[in-house]
């Protein structure tokens, strides 16, 4: 299998890095713009919480994270596994597998954290709060935790690409035998 052009990887993983940083920045901005307890309005036993900017910022961060994960893993899978080995489940590069596992684990946890925080940041009407008519406010540093997981995800995705690229042969592999 020939090595794909270097510019393909530079452009592809520049896009992944840019999307990762955009997601990180959106999460950090969402942390500073989330609703707080002072925004909560009570009317008897009913509560109201207005939509915050954290909702839009969180959605943007989540979209960037998902796009970075899809693009990064698509590039890795189609570039580093030869077509004849794509159906095989054998682990031939444990370090690559480990970084991909870290990437997917951090991705999953970040998506769950961001999704919960985003849904709590939307408008919560009187009597129709987030769960069972009650209003909930996003806890401190939830978006910061998600932002750190976004960075771990981006770093492990790009590391997977670097590890896979190093383990790739540099040229055509041929074994020349002597002819007698």
């Amino acid at each position: 299998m020939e090595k794909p052009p270097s510019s393909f990887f530079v452009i592809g993983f520049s896009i992944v890095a840019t999307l990762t940083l955009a997601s990180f920045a959106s999460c950090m901005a969402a942390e500073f713009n989330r609703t707080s307890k002072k925004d909560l309005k009570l009317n008897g036993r009913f509560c109201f919480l207005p939509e915050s900017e954290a909702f839009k910022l969180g959605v943007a961060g989540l979209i960037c994270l998902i796009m970075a994960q899809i693009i990064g893993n698509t590039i890795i899978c189609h570039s580093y596994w030869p077509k004849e080995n794509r159906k095989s489940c054998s682990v031939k590069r444990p370090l690559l597998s480990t970084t991909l596992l870290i990437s997917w684990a951090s991705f999953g946890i970040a998506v769950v954290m961001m999704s919960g925080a985003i849904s709590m940041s939307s408008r919560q009407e009187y009597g129709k709060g987030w769960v069972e008519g009650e209003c909930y406010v996003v806890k401190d540093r939830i978006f910061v935790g998600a932002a750190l997981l976004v960075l771990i995800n981006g770093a492990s995705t790009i590391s997977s690409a670097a590890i896979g690229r190093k383990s790739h042969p540099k040229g055509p592999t041929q074994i020349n035998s002597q002819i007698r």
Side-chain angles (χ1 to χ4, degrees):
M1 183 173 145
E2 281 186 33
K3 186 171 134 181
S6 181
S7 62
F8 171 74
F9 293 103
V10 171
I11 292 170
F13 288 104
S14 293
I15 292 170
V16 171
T18 302
L19 288 169
T20 299
L21 291 175
S23 180
F24 173 80
S26 293
C27 286
M28 293 304 288
E31 177 68 27
F32 296 114
N33 290 303
R34 64 183 174 73
T35 52
S36 62
K37 289 180 184 176
K38 67 178 179 164
D39 299 326
L40 184 66
K41 296 176 184 165
L42 293 172
N43 184 4
R45 59 177 266 256
F46 295 116
C47 59
F48 173 79
L49 203 59
E51 182 176 303
S52 69
E53 285 297 313
F55 178 78
K56 295 172 190 165
L57 292 165
V59 169
L62 187 60
I63 290 170
C64 288
L65 175 63
I66 291 170
M67 288 173 45
Q69 185 73 359
I70 291 170
I71 292 169
N73 282 277
T74 301
I75 292 169
I76 291 168
C77 290
H78 284 288
S79 299
Y80 299 121
W81 276 278
K83 287 182 182 173
E84 61 272 2
N85 292 338
R86 283 192 185 157
K87 293 181 181 176
S88 159
C89 287
S90 63
V91 177
K92 294 189 170 88
R93 299 178 196 146
L95 187 58
L96 177 62
S97 300
T98 303
T99 56
L100 281 172
L101 177 65
I102 292 168
S103 171
W104 278 100
S106 60
F107 172 76
I109 296 168
V111 166
V112 169
M113 286 176 70
M114 289 171 72
S115 297
I118 289 167
S119 67
M120 285 185 209
S121 297
S122 66
R123 184 180 178 107
Q124 298 178 38
E125 296 287 337
Y126 286 110
K128 296 182 182 180
W130 192 63
V131 177
E132 297 177 6
E134 296 183 22
C135 292
Y136 288 86
V137 178
V138 178
K139 219 173 171 181
D140 292 348
R141 295 180 295 280
I142 291 292
F143 281 112
V144 172
L148 292 175
L149 287 169
V150 165
L151 287 180
I152 291 169
N153 174 266
S156 59
T157 301
I158 292 171
S159 296
S160 297
I163 291 166
R165 188 135 171 94
K166 271 192 212 175
S167 64
H168 235 328
K170 300 259 180 207
T173 55
Q174 288 183 337
I175 300 174
N176 296 326
S177 61
Q178 280 185 332
I179 299 176
R180 292 184 187 195

